[in-house]
Amino acid sequence: MERRALEASGLEARAGDGAGPPRLEGHAAVFGVEADVAGMFRERIEAGAFAETLARDDIRALRNHDPGLVLGRTRAGTLRLSEDGRGLLATIDPPDAGYARDLIESVRRGDVSGMSVGFAVLDEAWGMESGVAMRTLRKVKLYEVSVVTFPAYAETDVSLRSLEARRAPWRRALARRRLELEEARA
């Protein structure tokens, strides 16, 4: 499973319907925006990439990708996901639980403002743009959306070692793809 995080400028806590509890809403992914993936390549998500998974799969909303901190679920109706003109819109009706109340307050205060997605790639296109490898996600299987504290990789020693180990196969694959593209142009 891959994860992508972004600073969700539109993430907000809203009052619920009438006497209902508050909800969280924001874009977990944005279409057509280039993102740097760990310094290995650039990536963008096409509109429609989530359409099939949204129609078919049971997706969770989590706190910081933690499966023990469930905020909502599509099958339960406590997570509603849709593609709009900007990207993947998530509306979450969090439980009346301490971790959810704390999160709602942190979002209200502006301390937490990021969202992230956990997914598997089903269809992608690779190319070179300005000398940089570019991956376009055409279709993905979505497992979860998360409200995250840090919408980027943590700069710890463990993370950096782990990141370097994960980069090696990607670098080899990108080098092969660059050669194929250059040969095709020749």
Side-chain angles (χ1 to χ4, degrees):
M1 178 173 26
E2 296 184 42
R3 293 188 175 129
R4 297 293 178 271
L6 64 116
E7 189 69 25
S9 58
L11 179 64
E12 56 187 55
R14 295 184 177 186
D17 317 8
R23 75 174 54 113
L24 297 167
E25 187 170 286
H27 286 87
V30 179
F31 300 136
V33 174
E34 290 184 18
D36 177 57
V37 179
M40 297 181 293
F41 57 91
R42 308 266 319 147
E43 178 180 80
R44 68 177 150 244
I45 303 170
E46 277 187 1
F50 298 102
E52 286 184 33
T53 196
L54 295 182
R56 177 184 61 232
D57 297 324
D58 185 22
I59 302 159
R60 293 355 184 245
L62 306 176
R63 172 74 170 107
N64 280 326
H65 300 289
D66 185 338
L69 299 175
V70 178
L71 298 170
R73 183 176 180 178
T74 55
R75 184 176 296 156
T78 54
L79 168 62
R80 290 167 304 287
L81 296 166
S82 62
E83 288 189 348
D84 65 11
R86 182 165 182 239
L88 178 63
L89 179 64
T91 302
I92 307 165
D93 300 322
D96 185 18
Y99 68 89
R101 288 190 300 272
D102 292 347
L103 175 61
I104 290 165
E105 181 60 21
S106 293
V107 171
R108 269 195 193 117
R109 290 168 34 116
D111 298 333
V112 174
S113 60
M115 291 197 76
S116 180
V117 292
F119 63 94
V121 177
L122 301 176
D123 185 21
E124 63 189 2
W126 284 92
M128 294 295 288
E129 293 184 15
S130 302
V132 177
M134 173 63 75
R135 178 167 84 161
T136 301
L137 301 177
R138 294 177 172 166
K139 184 165 78 168
V140 301
K141 176 179 178 48
L142 186 62
Y143 294 102
E144 51 99 356
V145 297
S146 280
V147 178
V148 295
T149 305
F150 296 104
Y153 293 105
E155 295 294 333
T156 66
D157 291 339
V158 173
S159 293
L160 291 173
R161 280 195 299 269
S162 172
L163 180 58
E164 285 304 315
R166 292 184 69 184
R167 281 183 177 173
W170 283 98
R171 286 188 174 140
R172 287 190 298 272
L174 288 172
R176 283 192 305 272
R177 186 65 180 140
R178 283 186 186 126
L179 283 172
E180 291 170 2
L181 291 169
E182 288 173 12
E183 289 172 0
R185 278 188 231 142

